[in-house]
Amino acid sequence: MSDPKPVEFRGSALDDLRAFPASARREAGHQLDQVQHGHEPDDFQKKTQKTTQRDLDLAAKRYSDLVKELAQ
């Protein structure tokens, strides 16, 4: 078995994850472990029809910050 890839949390992502209920934290941990070991994550079932604009904006900001950091 290969070594897992490291995970880096951006912004408040780790604190946000820690605020999840225990069952959601467990599922998120499982999915992260899958990705770290080079496997595809399991399919998620969305409970809402549309991702909120707040969540889309947060993802865009974190991605932009990462791109800026990597360009340095």
Side-chain angles (χ1 to χ4, degrees):
M1 190 161 164
S2 64
D3 290 332
K5 297 174 188 170
V7 173
E8 281 189 39
F9 291 94
R10 299 288 173 172
S12 65
L14 183 56
D15 290 333
D16 295 344
L17 180 61
R18 287 178 175 152
F20 286 1
S23 61
R25 280 196 316 270
R26 208 170 16 259
E27 178 63 22
H30 171 73
Q31 298 302 328
L32 287 171
D33 185 67
Q34 291 284 92
V35 172
Q36 282 184 279
H37 286 92
H39 304 289
E40 291 290 322
D42 299 334
D43 289 333
F44 285 100
Q45 290 183 337
K46 286 188 70 155
K47 304 292 183 199
T48 59
Q49 293 297 314
K50 186 174 179 182
T51 304
T52 66
Q53 188 61 46
R54 177 180 168 267
D55 289 339
L56 291 172
D57 293 343
L58 179 59
K61 179 182 181 336
R62 288 181 179 161
Y63 180 74
S64 176
D65 290 347
L66 175 62
V67 169
K68 287 177 189 174
E69 180 181 319
L70 294 174
Q72 295 178 358

